Amino acid sequence: MTKSLIIASIMIPALLTSCGEGSKGTTASQEQTTATDSLPLIGRTLHIDYGQMQAIVTYGHDTLIWQTSSPDGKTSEQTKEEPNYEALGDGRTFATWQEASGEVVAQIVDLKAQQVTAFIYAPL
């Protein structure tokens, strides 16, 4: 018997400046500490509004720290992950990590287009 995977693909425009709310309206802002030329995502903190939840994600060399909150203000505990990064060029970075739950997250973060494409693979 083979294990099945649930594949969730979420296209998230992570606008790095404020924008109005709408059906696709998400907002995100960023902070930069020390990005590198080859991996421009390293050292940045993205504040992303997914609509039903918000996330603050800090992309470090050896750690990725994220925390979510719901519209009613409930926040999750900060979680540290061990990411893998690959520079895709032109301001884009491919980031992956596996969470304690077994879920695998893959993101393509495009800083120029201000867009994050996330794929979440969850074992059944």
Side-chain angles (χ1 to χ4, degrees):
M1 178 183 273
T2 63
K3 286 189 173 183
S4 298
L5 292 178
I6 297 174
I7 301 174
S9 174
I10 306 167
M11 183 71 134
I12 306 157
L15 303 177
L16 302 177
T17 57
S18 294
C19 72
E21 291 185 19
S23 61
K24 290 187 177 180
T26 61
T27 59
S29 58
Q30 66 177 328
E31 300 168 14
Q32 181 175 357
T33 52
T34 53
T36 64
D37 289 335
S38 61
L39 288 170
L41 186 60
I42 301 298
R44 294 185 189 254
T45 297
L46 299 182
H47 299 257
I48 305 169
D49 183 358
Y50 294 99
Q52 301 245 345
M53 76 170 191
Q54 292 75 42
I56 298 172
V57 184
T58 300
Y59 299 90
H61 283 282
D62 299 324
T63 59
L64 180 142
I65 302 170
W66 62 274
Q67 182 174 26
T68 60
S69 62
S70 61
D72 61 3
K74 293 182 182 177
T75 60
S76 68
E77 291 186 30
Q78 267 193 353
T79 304
K80 286 186 180 182
E81 307 294 352
E82 293 182 21
N84 292 301
Y85 298 109
E86 186 69 36
L88 300 176
D90 203 28
R92 294 174 297 146
T93 304
F94 182 66
T96 61
W97 65 91
Q98 184 168 10
E99 299 179 354
S101 65
E103 291 180 338
V104 175
V105 178
Q107 291 182 335
I108 298 172
V109 180
D110 188 335
L111 295 174
K112 280 189 175 182
Q114 301 177 346
Q115 179 174 310
V116 176
T117 305
F119 303 89
I120 302 169
Y121 302 92
L124 289 178

